[in-house]
Amino acid sequence: MEGSPRDRDDTGRARNARPRDGLGRPLPYGAPGVERQPEGVPRTPAESLAEAQRLLDDGKPFHAHEVLEDAWKTAPESERELWRGLAQLAVGLTHLARGNARGAKSLLARGARNIEPYRAARPHGVDVAGLVAWAGTVTPAPPRLTDGK
């Protein structure tokens, strides 16, 4: 890399431009990788949940985490822990897919703890009870973020 030891966008913000595989692992510069989710895309909560679910269903939990992380960064304070917890669940699923059962279990438990307080409110139709139960199973099957209610 010339100029800066870190990848930067046009505004000078740090961005990692290294290609990644389907589970978000970095590949050498110049290697073909899976297209990354763009950062900082403004989405409604419904759009964030739909896009994250599509990515989970496509076997791309790392990419779903990126969408949920954007939602977490822009959410109102009262919902930050919900979105943070959802992002952590996606990272837990990523670790599980990478074969890191210990890391997966830790992140799934942390994500479940962060979304648990929203069980009664179910913001944006998030199936908190179902996700908490799923997180306890440590199964590689992608969860349903909402139950359509």
Side-chain angles (χ1 to χ4, degrees):
M1 297 275 317
E2 291 182 25
S4 173
R6 297 186 71 192
D7 300 321
R8 305 261 174 203
D9 66 14
D10 293 339
T11 65
R13 290 187 61 183
R15 300 282 188 224
N16 189 338
R18 276 180 76 177
R20 302 237 175 204
D21 71 7
L23 292 175
R25 292 176 287 228
L27 298 170
Y29 284 102
V34 173
E35 188 171 338
R36 305 264 314 258
Q37 286 300 116
E39 292 182 54
V41 175
R43 296 180 181 95
T44 66
E47 291 168 336
S48 293
L49 290 166
E51 180 65 5
Q53 187 68 63
R54 182 188 69 76
L55 291 162
L56 290 171
D57 293 345
D58 287 350
K60 296 179 180 176
F62 176 81
H63 298 82
H65 141 264
E66 291 179 322
V67 169
L68 294 165
E69 188 174 64
D70 270 350
W72 164 26
K73 290 176 181 178
T74 60
E77 188 64 35
S78 63
E79 292 182 6
R80 288 249 168 92
E81 290 303 301
L82 171 73
W83 293 102
R84 178 179 173 195
L86 293 173
Q88 289 168 327
L89 293 177
V91 173
L93 188 55
T94 300
H95 280 284
L96 194 58
R98 291 176 177 176
N100 178 3
R102 183 176 177 183
K105 189 172 183 178
S106 174
L107 275 159
L108 291 170
R110 192 176 318 147
R113 280 192 307 273
N114 283 330
I115 67 172
E116 179 64 39
Y118 299 91
R119 184 184 289 259
R122 295 176 32 89
H124 313 292
V126 172
D127 182 12
V128 175
L131 288 168
V132 169
W134 169 83
T137 68
V138 191
T139 178
R144 302 301 309 162
L145 298 176
T146 64
D147 62 9
K149 291 183 183 177

